[in-house]
């Protein structure tokens, strides 16, 4: 077995252990056949799939005659990847986030095709614990079927299964907590990832028992299907965080109280950290893992993140070494083949972690028994700083976005070059590549690039890659569309700096006189790319309208976002110069931009607040739950906390949010600025922030207004109108 790291026998043992437990070839073969039928319908019968584990690790072979396409592959994931390769390169079709039946009138098979490919990554990893709130939280089983199909076709071989609340409810009950104490601990559904990591407790709850049980059933189905394709699933382990009520039951046990996370008050922050050296830690861990393995099974990979954006109680390397050793030992006691999957985010985010402290923590675990997700390798790689994580295997990851916020951006050159660079360095312990976005359904091109690059050894010619991407996405080799994507590649997708991009664009932020926005590209490139897209409207066939109209809406949104930022700079200048008439004119322009943005977003289902709200309602089994879940949905994308602790972190440029949240905030702010200018009185930032909070933000969180779930208007016509209205 050839692996994507060099000369480390411990790592070789690791991969043999992890990949030793695989679904039967017949199961994987059947899953891929079903996937093909879901994608092609009646044309699926033209594909013959064979799973052959004697082939090279993670490889596939494609061959054709006049009537059939034959795919032989090492496992189900490789076969699904091979199928998607055939679709893209021989049928000019691709799948974006969700597998759906492709609109085909016929299937023309090119004869005498022979193609062989082998994955250069032992693992291709996907998911971020936060995406389970920012993107997946309202999903039902039918959505997961489509997404798991997509995962398989992208070659993803490792993922996580973080749903665990029903198991914790059982565990906490065994250790003596009352129902009321457990309910006080569990957060609402839109904030569960941060409950699991000990950052918060109780906020936006309670979590009804019906939801706990539904999520448990859903997670088991997800895991079963992922494994049926040959994927490996990491399941939760105990990282040490427990409800505060544990102190009542165990008054003589050492619990550590963390400092407040993001200024959440004590009522909601934080869980207690049970010292891993305490015998109780092993007891809780063993009880929890016994049920996890019983309900979820195991691929011997367990994830635990004890200090995610949380500072340890001591900076002493000996303390950190002891903590890590006990957390791993608790896994090992229950599963002698346990491998700990750890997010490396805590080393990026927290300046607490010096090299000596990182080394103490990582080397406490036997080498090869831990896999590190180098969570934001495309911008802040930690593998060099830590000397390849002091010998532990790691996965090079592209994080890309925070909170699932919208806004075109990416670092294509860093991804293209960085993966190969990390693989090729002497003594590299890199064993895979991953994508770890906090939210999905945006900037698909950057994820497609990273996942394809994960499979390949050599860098892509980016011009060629983007040309193919454009041709396949729109079903036509149109030079204007290729030019549009070239302009996007050298502008929004060319970021190479060190600023942490959180997608907090001025239009989507709480108004202030001190806002700034990073634009690292020529704005004219966006306008020109938009122009090229508009020119090609008549060239796009009905079967490719969905992708074209999504991108047309997105690039229109992007331009308006930029335009608003420019007007903000101008209006702040007019305010400082006390130019009342100029200020008044700019106010009208800015508010008009916001309304135009809402108008274009309303033309596409991918940009509708209504579907997010509808998703929250779908989980409710009674009127009270419906109220709780809608509040969760609204609060997460606005205030993110009771008092706006991380306001606008997960903001969305969606129709409905723009008109009923962004617009009234900015109107209130601009009206107040104009009043100050007219009366020649000083601007009071505290006063206006309080007014915005009380009059706009809090009411929006508790409203129950219904929003459209279907598009309104013609995307092309509205985009073209906006283009000529705001042309440079």
């Amino acid at each position: 077995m050839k692996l994507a790291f060099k000369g480390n026998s411990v790592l070789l043992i690791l991969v043999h252990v992890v990949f030793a437990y695989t679904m039967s070839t017949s199961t994987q073969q059947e899953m891929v056949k079903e996937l093909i039928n879901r994608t092609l319908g009646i044309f699926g019968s033209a594909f013959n799939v064979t799973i052959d584990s004697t082939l090279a690790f993670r490889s596939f072979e494609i061959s054709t005659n006049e009537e059939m396409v034959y795919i032989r592959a090492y496992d189900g994931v490789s076969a699904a990847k091979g199928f998607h390769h055939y679709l893209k390169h021989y049928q000019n079709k691709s799948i974006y986030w969700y597998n759906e039946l492709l609109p085909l009138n016929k299937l023309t098979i090119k004869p005498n095709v022979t193609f062989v490919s082998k994955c250069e990554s032992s693992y291709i990893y996907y998911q971020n614990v936060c995406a389970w709130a920012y993107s997946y939280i309202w999903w039902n089983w039918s959505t997961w079927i489509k997404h798991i199909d997509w995962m398989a076709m992208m070659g993803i071989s490792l993922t996580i299964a973080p749903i665990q609340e029903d198991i914790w409810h059982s565990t906490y009950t065994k250790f003596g907590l009352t129902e009321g104490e457990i309910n006080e601990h569990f957060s609402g559904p839109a904030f569960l990832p941060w409950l699991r990591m000990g950052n918060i407790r109780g906020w936006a709850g309670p979590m009804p028992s019906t939801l706990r049980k539904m999520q448990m059933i859903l997670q088991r189905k997800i895991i079963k299907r992922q494994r049926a394709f040959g994927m490996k699933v990491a399941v939760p382990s105990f990282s040490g965080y427990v409800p505060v009520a544990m102190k009542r039951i165990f008054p003589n046990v050492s619990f550590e109280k963390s400092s407040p996370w993001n200024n959440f008050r004590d009522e909601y922050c934080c869980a207690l950290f049970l010292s891993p050296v305490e015998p109780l830690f092993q007891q809780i861990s063993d009880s929890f893992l016994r049920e996890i393995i019983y309900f979820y099974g195991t691929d011997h990979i367990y994830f635990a993140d004890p200090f995610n954006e949380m500072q340890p109680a001591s900076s002493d390397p000996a303390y950190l070494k002891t903590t890590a050793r006990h957390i791993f030992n608790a896994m090992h006691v229950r599963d002698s083949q346990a491998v700990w999957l750890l997010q490396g985010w805590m080393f990026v985010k927290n300046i607490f972690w010096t090299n000596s402290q990182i080394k103490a923590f990582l080397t406490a675990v036997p080498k090869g028994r831990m896999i590190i997700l180098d969570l934001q390798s495309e911008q802040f790689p930690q593998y060099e700083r830590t000397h390849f994580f002091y010998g532990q295997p790691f996965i090079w990851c592209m994080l890309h976005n925070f909170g699932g916020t919208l806004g075109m951006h990416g670092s294509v050159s860093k991804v293209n070059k960085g993966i190969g660079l990390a693989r090729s360095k002497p003594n590299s312990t890199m064993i895979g590549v991953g994508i770890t976005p906090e939210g999905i359904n945006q900037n698909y091109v950057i994820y497609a690039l990273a996942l394809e690059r994960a499979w390949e050894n050599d860098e892509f010619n980016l011009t060629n890659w983007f040309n193919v991407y454009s041709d396949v996405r729109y079903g036509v080799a149109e030079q204007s569309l290729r030019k549009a994507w070239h302009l996007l590649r050298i502008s929004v997708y060319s970021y190479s700096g060190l600023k942490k991009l959180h997608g907090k664009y001025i239009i989507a932020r709480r108004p202030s006189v001190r806002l700034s926005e990073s634009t690292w590209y020529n704005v004219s490139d966006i306008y020109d790319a938009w122009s090229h897209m508009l020119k090609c409207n008549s060239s796009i066939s009905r079967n490719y309208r969905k992708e074209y109209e999504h991108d047309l809406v997105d690039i229109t949104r992007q331009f308006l976002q930029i335009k608003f930022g420019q007007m903000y700079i101008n209006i702040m200048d007019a305010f400082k110069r006390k130019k009342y008439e100029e200020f008044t004119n700019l106010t009208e322009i800015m508010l008009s931009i916001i309304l135009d943005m809402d108008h274009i977003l309303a033309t596409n289902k991918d940009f509708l607040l209504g579907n997010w709200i509808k998703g929250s309602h779908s989980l409710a089994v009674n009127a009270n739950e419906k109220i709780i879940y809608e509040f969760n949905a609204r609060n997460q994308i606005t205030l993110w906390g009771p008092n706006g602790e991380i306001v606008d972190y997960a903001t969305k440029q969606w129709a409905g949010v723009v008109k009923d949240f962004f617009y009234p905030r900015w109107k209130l702010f601009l009206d107040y600025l104009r009043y100050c200018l007219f009366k020649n009185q000083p601007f009071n930032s505290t006063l206006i922030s309080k007014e915005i909070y009380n009059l706009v933000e809090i009411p929006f969180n508790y409203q129950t207004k219904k929003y459209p779930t279907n598009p309104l208007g013609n995307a092309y016509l509205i985009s073209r109108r906006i283009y000529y209205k705001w042309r440079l």
Side-chain angles (χ1 to χ4, degrees):
M1 182 188 298
K2 184 182 176 184
L3 302 171
F5 49 75
K6 304 184 286 291
N8 192 322
S9 59
V10 174
L11 299 181
L12 183 63
I13 292 170
L14 162 69
V15 175
H16 273 301
V17 166
V18 172
F19 286 110
Y21 297 86
T22 305
M23 283 287 184
S24 69
T25 56
S26 60
T27 298
Q28 295 180 62
Q29 194 166 288
E30 186 58 35
M31 285 302 298
V32 177
K33 287 180 178 178
E34 290 178 9
L35 179 156
I36 292 172
N37 289 335
R38 283 190 292 273
T39 312
L40 298 178
I42 60 172
F43 301 113
S45 60
F47 287 77
N48 181 288
V49 177
T50 303
I51 304 300
D52 184 353
S53 59
T54 66
L55 293 177
F57 180 68
R58 293 264 188 261
S59 67
F60 65 83
E61 301 173 354
I62 300 173
S63 60
T64 67
N65 57 32
E66 289 80 359
E67 297 180 348
M68 293 290 293
V69 178
Y70 298 91
I71 299 175
R72 293 180 66 239
Y74 170 82
D75 62 358
V77 168
S78 304
K81 170 70 176 178
F83 170 62
H84 187 262
H85 179 92
Y86 180 83
L87 285 182
K88 179 176 180 179
H89 294 281
Y90 299 100
Q91 294 295 326
N92 219 34
K93 295 286 185 181
S94 191
I95 303 298
Y96 307 99
W97 294 123
Y98 310 93
N99 185 28
E100 295 178 336
L101 181 67
L102 292 175
L104 293 177
N105 297 321
K106 63 178 181 177
L107 181 73
T108 303
I109 299 173
K110 182 180 178 180
N112 303 318
V113 167
T114 302
F115 184 82
V116 178
S117 181
K118 179 186 175 304
C119 186
E120 292 298 323
S121 300
S122 296
Y123 292 94
I124 295 182
Y125 174 81
Y126 164 60
Q127 284 185 0
N128 184 308
V129 291
C130 299
W132 286 78
Y134 291 136
S135 290
Y136 317 143
I137 187 59
W138 316 125
W139 284 10
N140 57 25
W141 176 231
S142 64
T143 304
W144 272 108
I145 289 173
K146 297 176 183 179
H147 193 58
I148 294 169
D149 277 359
W150 170 84
M151 291 171 64
M153 285 191 275
M154 296 303 108
I156 291 160
S157 57
L158 175 63
T159 188
I160 56 172
I163 293 173
Q164 54 196 274
E165 282 63 46
D166 202 50
I167 293 175
W168 274 121
H169 181 272
S170 174
T171 303
Y172 292 149
T173 301
K174 289 177 185 176
F175 281 85
L177 266 65
T178 67
E179 195 71 17
E181 289 169 333
I182 297 172
N183 285 337
E184 281 185 6
H185 178 69
F186 284 152
S187 70
F191 302 95
L192 287 172
W194 301 276
L195 170 78
R196 295 162 185 161
M197 294 184 288
N199 304 128
I200 61 172
R201 60 185 175 89
W203 170 241
M207 184 183 186
S209 61
T210 51
L211 181 61
R212 287 201 323 266
K213 296 181 185 307
M214 284 193 302
Q215 284 200 331
M216 177 77 163
I217 293 169
L218 180 62
Q219 183 71 92
R220 294 181 72 185
K221 293 171 76 172
I222 293 167
I223 293 170
K224 182 179 179 181
R225 181 169 289 260
Q226 288 168 335
R227 287 179 175 148
F229 276 112
M231 298 178 198
K232 300 302 170 186
V233 183
V235 296
S237 187
F238 181 46
S239 60
Y241 291 102
V242 295
V244 295
M246 279 289 189
K247 289 191 73 171
R248 174 185 66 80
I249 304 168
F250 303 100
N252 299 319
V253 169
S254 173
F255 295 99
E256 299 163 1
K257 187 73 166 65
S258 301
S259 57
W261 180 77
N262 278 305
N263 298 312
F264 271 81
R265 62 179 185 261
D266 188 65
E267 180 184 358
Y268 300 116
C269 183
C270 304
L272 295 177
F273 185 68
L274 170 60
S275 173
V277 303
E278 290 280 356
L280 180 61
F281 186 100
Q282 177 62 53
Q283 295 169 26
I284 293 175
S285 178
D286 199 60
S287 176
F288 177 69
L289 278 177
R290 186 186 300 113
E291 291 205 47
I292 282 286
I293 294 170
Y294 176 79
F295 286 108
Y296 291 168
T298 183
D299 294 308
H300 311 293
I301 311 176
Y302 304 88
F303 68 90
D305 298 296
F307 302 119
N308 185 74
E309 299 186 6
M310 305 286 277
Q311 188 160 307
S314 172
S315 60
D316 184 353
Y319 166 84
L320 297 171
K321 194 176 191 74
T322 299
T323 298
R325 185 171 67 248
H326 279 82
I327 291 174
F328 173 74
N329 285 346
M331 301 175 193
H332 188 260
V333 165
R334 178 50 48 187
D335 182 351
S336 62
Q337 299 182 73
V339 175
W340 180 0
L341 182 69
L342 175 76
Q343 290 186 131
W345 181 245
M346 63 187 190
F347 306 139
V348 182
K349 179 69 176 176
N350 199 331
I351 60 173
F352 167 93
W353 290 92
T354 65
N355 287 358
S356 62
Q357 290 164 333
I358 295 173
K359 183 176 182 179
F361 189 87
L362 297 181
T363 57
V365 177
K367 193 175 291 186
R369 290 292 182 174
M370 176 182 273
I371 301 173
I372 315 297
L373 299 175
D374 196 359
L375 215 63
Q376 198 177 11
S377 304
E378 86 280 15
Q379 194 171 8
F380 301 108
Q382 300 296 299
Y383 67 84
E384 286 189 296
R385 169 196 173 191
T386 58
H387 307 286
F388 298 104
F389 295 99
Y390 300 101
Q392 297 287 16
F394 77 97
I395 296 175
W396 190 105
C397 297
M398 182 189 77
L399 178 54
H400 180 262
N401 87 73
F402 296 86
T405 52
L406 300 182
M408 289 180 168
H409 78 275
S411 303
V412 294
S413 292
K414 282 192 169 186
V415 171
N416 193 30
K417 295 178 182 298
I419 292 171
L421 182 66
R423 276 185 183 144
S424 63
K425 283 185 174 292
N427 302 314
S428 176
T429 57
M430 177 178 162
I431 60 169
V433 177
I435 59 169
T436 53
E438 287 197 347
I440 65 168
N441 297 318
Q442 42 104 336
N443 285 293
Y444 187 81
V445 64
I446 196 73
Y447 298 106
L449 176 78
L451 289 169
E452 288 192 28
R453 185 68 184 84
W455 189 274
E456 303 293 339
N457 183 58
D458 299 327
E459 290 180 20
F460 293 136
N461 177 310
L462 290 175
T463 298
N464 293 342
W465 191 91
F466 271 78
N467 284 345
V468 172
Y469 181 84
S470 175
D471 295 351
V472 172
R473 188 158 176 84
Y474 306 124
V476 58
E478 172 64 61
Q479 287 305 312
S480 285
L481 290 169
R482 288 183 171 189
K483 181 64 174 176
W485 277 101
H486 168 73
L487 290 166
L488 293 174
R489 175 173 67 85
I490 65 172
S491 57
V492 287
Y493 294 117
S494 68
Y495 187 71
S496 60
L498 296 176
K499 186 171 182 177
K500 294 180 179 179
L501 298 172
H502 284 249
K504 289 189 175 181
Y505 303 102
I506 288 175
I507 197 170
R509 296 181 67 180
R510 179 186 282 172
S512 164
V513 296
R514 295 183 296 273
L515 299 179
S516 62
E517 187 169 290
S518 294
T519 304
W520 59 93
Y521 48 86
N522 292 325
V523 174
S524 60
D525 287 342
I526 308 304
Y527 187 79
D528 291 344
W530 185 15
S531 174
H532 284 297
M533 281 195 178
L534 284 168
K535 289 176 186 175
C536 298
N537 178 61
S538 60
S539 302
I540 309 299
S541 71
R542 180 175 57 85
N543 289 346
Y544 293 87
R545 297 298 300 181
K546 178 180 176 182
E547 291 78 16
Y548 172 71
E549 290 179 1
H550 175 280
D551 293 348
L552 194 57
V553 170
D554 200 22
I555 200 167
T556 308
R557 178 210 53 74
Q558 181 73 14
F559 178 82
L560 291 173
Q561 165 193 293
I562 296 166
K563 191 75 174 177
F564 189 88
Q566 293 173 333
M567 293 302 102
Y568 170 82
I569 294 170
N570 292 341
I571 206 169
M572 288 296 101
D573 181 64
F575 180 76
K576 290 174 184 176
R577 293 186 291 110
K578 299 185 178 181
K579 297 293 184 180
Y580 182 81
E581 186 174 341
E582 181 182 343
F583 183 94
T584 300
N585 291 336
L586 287 167
T587 295
E588 293 178 3
I589 292 171
M590 291 179 73
L591 295 176
S592 179
I593 291 171
I594 297 176
L595 294 178
D596 277 343
M597 179 179 280
D598 195 81
H599 199 191
I600 187 65
L601 294 172
T603 66
N604 192 280
K605 71 178 183 64
D606 297 333
F607 300 91
L608 301 180
L609 171 62
N611 288 320
W612 178 249
I613 300 295
K614 181 182 178 182
S616 72
H617 292 169
S618 70
L619 296 188
V621 298
N622 56 50
N624 185 54
E625 288 186 11
K626 185 176 178 181
I627 292 170
I628 293 172
Y629 300 158
E630 179 164 349
F631 175 81
N632 271 256
R634 288 171 175 265
N635 183 263
Q636 187 210 84
I637 63 173
T638 55
L639 286 174
W640 215 118
N643 299 300
E645 281 76 2
I646 35 180
V647 61
D648 298 328
Y649 180 86
T651 186
K652 301 295 187 295
Q653 295 178 43
W654 288 339
V657 180
V658 172
K659 186 176 182 179
D660 289 350
F661 192 74
F662 297 172
Y663 183 89
R665 287 203 305 189
W666 278 102
K667 188 174 189 313
L668 196 63
F669 173 77
L670 293 171
D671 285 349
Y672 177 63
L673 271 181
R674 184 165 53 179
Y675 175 82
C676 292
L677 191 57
F678 182 74
K679 293 290 188 179
N680 195 29
Q681 67 180 39
F683 173 80
N684 187 327
S685 60
T686 302
L687 173 64
I688 191 60
S689 291
K690 188 177 293 186
E691 288 287 287
I692 290 170
Y693 176 78
N694 289 324
L695 298 179
V696 179
E697 294 172 344
I698 281 290
F700 182 87
N701 273 242
Y702 287 94
Q703 286 169 2
T704 57
K705 176 181 175 180
K706 292 184 179 179
Y707 290 93
T709 56
N710 292 309
L712 299 172
N714 184 294
Y716 168 71
L717 293 177
I718 293 171
S719 178
R720 188 179 65 174
R721 176 186 65 77
I722 294 172
Y723 173 84
Y724 285 112
K725 177 180 178 179
W726 300 109
R727 57 186 167 184
L728 295 178

